[in-house]
Amino acid sequence: MSKPIKQENGVEWLDDGRILLMLCPKCHRENWAPAVVSGQCVWCGYKAEPITDKNDKKKEMDYDRLSLQQSSNMNNCRHEAKSANSKI
């Protein structure tokens, strides 16, 4: 029996290479039961990609970039708030 090696947003990647798409991360609809093992959403056509080092590294880089942007935005807001308070 196959075991899941990764589960994320309604998608399961199994150790035998199969991808199960139960809930679509794009349209947020439950996939039609016979299509779950295809790894593709019958409603919007989203296709889950196999796990590769390249995909995982891209996700990590996107997450890191987003974290840095959010951190920068928070610092800018704090700086603007301090500036506004000092003018009062």
Side-chain angles (χ1 to χ4, degrees):
M1 183 162 179
S2 299
K3 295 180 183 176
I5 55 174
K6 185 175 179 181
Q7 296 175 326
E8 183 179 296
N9 300 327
V11 183
E12 285 188 11
W13 290 266
L14 304 179
D15 60 0
D16 65 0
R18 289 184 298 153
I19 301 171
L20 306 178
L21 181 70
M22 293 164 283
L23 181 67
C24 180
K26 184 177 177 184
C27 70
H28 307 289
R29 294 180 71 180
E30 185 176 359
N31 205 5
W32 184 49
V36 167
V37 294
S38 73
Q40 186 166 356
C41 177
V42 296
W43 308 110
C44 71
Y46 171 82
K47 179 104 173 138
E49 296 180 15
I51 297 174
T52 63
D53 288 339
K54 184 179 178 182
N55 288 342
D56 287 343
K57 287 183 181 177
K58 183 182 182 308
K59 286 181 183 176
E60 287 174 16
M61 289 171 51
D62 290 345
Y63 178 78
D64 290 343
R65 185 172 53 236
L66 180 62
S67 295
L68 287 172
Q69 287 174 347
Q70 288 175 343
S71 174
S72 176
N73 289 342
M74 290 185 78
N75 288 336
N76 288 341
C77 290
R78 288 183 188 135
H79 179 70
E80 289 171 5
K82 286 180 183 178
S83 297
N85 287 339
S86 65
K87 291 179 184 178
I88 296 176

